[in-house]
């Protein structure tokens, strides 16, 4: 028996696949050369001088960072879908307890319970590593 209800299973599966689609669309849109990340740009400005955008070089570092962030997210989503299908979803990878539904709903890609997440974050902040 999976630790989560079949209703939650279906709901999260749908949401994860949707996020995956959105992510892929976003990545594709950017790799197509559209720099429509800039919030102030209007659709009309697109028609103008977009052929050789002078801001291209300045953006590239940020985009690289974004792309890395996105591929990490995509990986997390894939992993979550995998766990959802193979079983083991909703179980903390660190301590093995069941992750509360509220937490799964808030962050479908989450892999640990709140206690473990806090512990891991603390360890990362102090840089001391696990104290077991
Ligand atoms: Zn845990």
């Amino acid at each position: 028996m999976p630790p989560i209800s079949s209703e939650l299973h279906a709901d999260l599966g749908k949401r994860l696949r949707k996020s995956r689609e959105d992510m892929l669309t976003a990545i594709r849109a950017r790799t197509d050369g559209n720099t429509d990340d800039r919030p102030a740009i209007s659709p009309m400005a697109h028609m103008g001088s977009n052929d050789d955008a002078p801001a291209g070089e300045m953006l590239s570092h940020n985009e690289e960072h974004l792309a890395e962030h996105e591929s990490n997210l995509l990986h997390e989503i894939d992993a979550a879908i995998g766990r959802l299908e193979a079983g083991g979803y909703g179980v903390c990878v660190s301590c093995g307890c069941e992750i509360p539904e509220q937490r799964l709903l808030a962050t479908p890609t989450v892999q640990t319970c709140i206690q473990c997440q806090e512990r891991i974050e603390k360890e990362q902040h102090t840089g001391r590593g696990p104290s077991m």
Side-chain angles (χ1 to χ4, degrees):
M1 268 292 276
I4 60 174
S5 67
S6 54
E7 234 170 72
L8 187 66
H9 188 283
D11 184 38
L12 287 171
K14 222 183 291 168
R15 285 175 51 183
L16 283 165
R17 281 181 184 85
K18 175 79 168 57
S19 314
R20 191 172 187 280
E21 282 300 304
D22 289 349
M23 197 72 72
L24 286 172
T25 307
I27 291 169
R28 228 174 276 142
R30 205 179 350 263
T31 49
D32 276 354
N34 289 327
T35 50
D36 46 14
D37 255 351
R38 279 166 290 180
I41 204 160
S42 74
M44 296 300 284
H46 228 58
M47 317 286 287
S49 55
N50 202 32
D51 277 346
D52 52 357
E57 275 183 42
M58 282 175 66
L59 275 173
S60 69
H61 176 74
N62 193 28
E63 278 185 25
E64 220 169 86
H65 181 73
L66 257 178
E68 196 185 301
H69 179 65
E70 275 167 351
S71 72
N72 281 345
L73 270 178
L74 198 58
H75 183 76
E76 276 180 26
I77 292 169
D78 274 341
I81 291 173
R83 289 198 304 278
L84 205 55
E85 280 169 357
Y89 183 83
V91 174
C92 173
V93 294
S94 185
C95 72
C97 72
E98 289 178 21
I99 300 170
E101 284 192 11
Q102 285 307 314
R103 182 164 163 75
L104 292 172
L105 283 168
T107 318
T109 55
V110 77
Q111 297 185 32
T112 58
C113 64
I114 292 163
Q115 285 88 342
C116 288
Q117 164 133 26
E118 279 175 355
R119 200 192 61 224
I120 290 164
E121 274 174 7
K122 227 176 272 173
E123 283 167 6
Q124 280 171 350
H125 276 297
T126 56
R128 272 189 215 146
S131 55
M132 290 194 285

